[in-house]
Short mmCIF file of all heavy atoms in Angstrom, two decimals:
data_model
loop_
_atom_site.label_atom_id
_atom_site.label_comp_id
_atom_site.label_asym_id
_atom_site.label_seq_id
_atom_site.Cartn_x
_atom_site.Cartn_y
_atom_site.Cartn_z
N TYR A 236 -8.84 10.16 0.02
CA TYR A 236 -9.98 9.26 -0.02
C TYR A 236 -11.00 9.74 1.00
O TYR A 236 -10.66 9.96 2.17
CB TYR A 236 -9.54 7.83 0.28
CG TYR A 236 -10.67 6.85 0.35
CD1 TYR A 236 -11.38 6.49 -0.79
CD2 TYR A 236 -11.07 6.29 1.56
CE1 TYR A 236 -12.44 5.60 -0.72
CE2 TYR A 236 -12.11 5.41 1.64
CZ TYR A 236 -12.80 5.06 0.49
OH TYR A 236 -13.84 4.18 0.56
N TYR A 240 -20.63 7.96 5.61
CA TYR A 240 -21.33 6.87 6.28
C TYR A 240 -22.68 7.35 6.78
O TYR A 240 -22.83 8.51 7.18
CB TYR A 240 -20.51 6.36 7.48
CG TYR A 240 -19.25 5.63 7.08
CD1 TYR A 240 -18.10 6.32 6.76
CD2 TYR A 240 -19.24 4.25 6.99
CE1 TYR A 240 -16.95 5.65 6.37
CE2 TYR A 240 -18.10 3.57 6.61
CZ TYR A 240 -16.96 4.28 6.30
OH TYR A 240 -15.83 3.62 5.91
N GLN A 242 -25.53 6.29 9.67
CA GLN A 242 -25.75 5.47 10.84
C GLN A 242 -27.19 5.62 11.32
O GLN A 242 -27.61 6.70 11.74
CB GLN A 242 -24.79 5.83 11.97
CG GLN A 242 -24.89 4.88 13.17
CD GLN A 242 -23.86 5.17 14.25
OE1 GLN A 242 -23.34 6.27 14.35
NE2 GLN A 242 -23.55 4.17 15.06
N GLY A 247 -24.54 0.02 13.19
CA GLY A 247 -23.23 0.54 12.91
C GLY A 247 -23.23 1.45 11.70
O GLY A 247 -24.16 1.41 10.88
N PRO A 248 -22.24 2.32 11.56
CA PRO A 248 -22.15 3.17 10.37
C PRO A 248 -22.06 2.32 9.10
O PRO A 248 -21.37 1.30 9.08
CB PRO A 248 -20.85 3.96 10.61
CG PRO A 248 -20.64 3.93 12.08
CD PRO A 248 -21.15 2.59 12.52
N ARG A 255 -12.57 9.67 -4.51
CA ARG A 255 -11.12 9.82 -4.46
C ARG A 255 -10.74 11.17 -5.02
O ARG A 255 -11.49 11.79 -5.77
CB ARG A 255 -10.44 8.68 -5.23
CG ARG A 255 -10.44 7.38 -4.46
CD ARG A 255 -9.38 6.43 -4.94
NE ARG A 255 -9.17 5.34 -4.00
CZ ARG A 255 -8.30 5.38 -3.00
NH1 ARG A 255 -7.56 6.44 -2.81
NH2 ARG A 255 -8.18 4.35 -2.18
N ASP A 299 -3.50 7.54 1.40
CA ASP A 299 -3.24 6.17 0.97
C ASP A 299 -1.76 5.86 1.00
O ASP A 299 -1.27 5.04 0.24
CB ASP A 299 -3.83 5.87 -0.41
CG ASP A 299 -3.14 6.64 -1.51
OD1 ASP A 299 -2.23 7.44 -1.22
OD2 ASP A 299 -3.51 6.43 -2.67
N GLY A 301 1.29 4.45 3.36
CA GLY A 301 1.58 3.77 4.62
C GLY A 301 0.33 3.30 5.31
O GLY A 301 -0.65 2.92 4.67
N TYR A 302 0.32 3.36 6.60
CA TYR A 302 -0.82 2.87 7.38
C TYR A 302 -1.78 4.02 7.67
O TYR A 302 -1.97 4.40 8.82
CB TYR A 302 -0.33 2.23 8.68
CG TYR A 302 0.50 0.99 8.45
CD1 TYR A 302 1.86 0.99 8.69
CD2 TYR A 302 -0.09 -0.17 8.00
CE1 TYR A 302 2.62 -0.16 8.49
CE2 TYR A 302 0.65 -1.32 7.79
CZ TYR A 302 2.00 -1.30 8.04
OH TYR A 302 2.74 -2.43 7.84
N SER A 303 -2.39 4.54 6.62
CA SER A 303 -3.35 5.63 6.83
C SER A 303 -4.66 5.08 7.34
O SER A 303 -5.10 4.00 6.92
CB SER A 303 -3.57 6.36 5.51
OG SER A 303 -2.37 6.92 5.05
N THR A 304 -5.31 5.79 8.21
CA THR A 304 -6.62 5.37 8.71
C THR A 304 -7.61 6.51 8.57
O THR A 304 -7.24 7.65 8.33
CB THR A 304 -6.55 4.94 10.18
OG1 THR A 304 -6.12 6.06 10.95
CG2 THR A 304 -5.57 3.80 10.38
N GLN B 82 -17.79 4.67 20.48
CA GLN B 82 -18.67 5.80 20.17
C GLN B 82 -19.43 6.25 21.41
O GLN B 82 -20.10 5.46 22.06
CB GLN B 82 -19.66 5.42 19.06
CG GLN B 82 -20.51 6.60 18.58
CD GLN B 82 -21.41 6.23 17.43
OE1 GLN B 82 -22.01 5.16 17.40
NE2 GLN B 82 -21.50 7.10 16.44
N TYR B 93 -5.85 -0.43 15.77
CA TYR B 93 -6.11 -1.15 14.54
C TYR B 93 -4.97 -2.10 14.21
O TYR B 93 -3.84 -1.92 14.66
CB TYR B 93 -6.42 -0.23 13.36
CG TYR B 93 -5.25 0.54 12.77
CD1 TYR B 93 -4.60 0.07 11.63
CD2 TYR B 93 -4.86 1.75 13.30
CE1 TYR B 93 -3.57 0.79 11.06
CE2 TYR B 93 -3.83 2.47 12.75
CZ TYR B 93 -3.18 2.00 11.62
OH TYR B 93 -2.16 2.71 11.05
N ASN B 95 -3.16 -4.63 11.09
CA ASN B 95 -2.97 -4.93 9.68
C ASN B 95 -2.34 -6.32 9.60
O ASN B 95 -1.28 -6.56 10.20
CB ASN B 95 -2.08 -3.89 9.02
CG ASN B 95 -1.82 -4.21 7.55
OD1 ASN B 95 -0.69 -4.29 7.11
ND2 ASN B 95 -2.87 -4.37 6.77
N PHE B 136 -17.44 -0.49 18.38
CA PHE B 136 -17.58 -1.01 17.02
C PHE B 136 -16.28 -1.64 16.56
O PHE B 136 -15.19 -1.14 16.82
CB PHE B 136 -17.95 0.10 16.04
CG PHE B 136 -19.35 0.60 16.16
CD1 PHE B 136 -19.62 1.82 16.77
CD2 PHE B 136 -20.41 -0.14 15.66
CE1 PHE B 136 -20.92 2.29 16.89
CE2 PHE B 136 -21.72 0.32 15.76
CZ PHE B 136 -21.97 1.54 16.39
N ARG B 143 -5.41 -0.62 -0.41
CA ARG B 143 -5.11 -0.42 -1.82
C ARG B 143 -4.06 0.66 -1.90
O ARG B 143 -4.30 1.79 -1.49
CB ARG B 143 -6.37 -0.01 -2.58
CG ARG B 143 -6.18 0.03 -4.08
CD ARG B 143 -7.49 0.21 -4.79
NE ARG B 143 -7.99 1.57 -4.72
CZ ARG B 143 -9.19 1.93 -5.17
NH1 ARG B 143 -10.00 1.04 -5.68
NH2 ARG B 143 -9.58 3.18 -5.08
N GLY B 144 -2.89 0.31 -2.36
CA GLY B 144 -1.81 1.28 -2.41
C GLY B 144 -1.28 1.63 -1.04
O GLY B 144 -0.69 2.69 -0.85
N GLY B 145 -1.54 0.77 -0.06
CA GLY B 145 -1.01 1.01 1.27
C GLY B 145 -2.02 1.57 2.24
O GLY B 145 -1.94 1.35 3.43
N VAL B 147 -6.06 2.56 3.68
CA VAL B 147 -7.36 1.92 3.87
C VAL B 147 -8.33 2.37 2.79
O VAL B 147 -8.35 3.53 2.40
CB VAL B 147 -7.93 2.29 5.25
CG1 VAL B 147 -9.36 1.82 5.38
CG2 VAL B 147 -7.08 1.68 6.33
N GLY B 149 -12.25 2.49 2.44
CA GLY B 149 -13.51 2.28 3.11
C GLY B 149 -13.33 1.56 4.42
O GLY B 149 -12.21 1.35 4.89
N ALA B 150 -14.38 1.22 5.03
CA ALA B 150 -14.38 0.41 6.25
C ALA B 150 -15.81 -0.07 6.44
O ALA B 150 -16.75 0.68 6.26
CB ALA B 150 -13.92 1.22 7.46
N PHE B 152 -18.46 -1.66 9.06
CA PHE B 152 -18.65 -1.75 10.50
C PHE B 152 -19.58 -2.88 10.88
O PHE B 152 -20.52 -3.23 10.14
CB PHE B 152 -19.26 -0.44 11.02
CG PHE B 152 -18.28 0.70 11.13
CD1 PHE B 152 -17.87 1.37 9.99
CD2 PHE B 152 -17.79 1.09 12.36
CE1 PHE B 152 -16.97 2.42 10.09
CE2 PHE B 152 -16.89 2.14 12.47
CZ PHE B 152 -16.49 2.81 11.33
#
Side-chain angles (χ1 to χ4, degrees):
Chain A
Y236 176 69
Y240 291 82
Q242 186 176 22
R255 283 201 166 270
D299 68 358
Y302 296 109
S303 299
T304 61
Chain B
Q82 187 177 40
Y93 74 98
N95 178 235
F136 288 104
R143 188 171 76 186
V147 171
F152 284 76

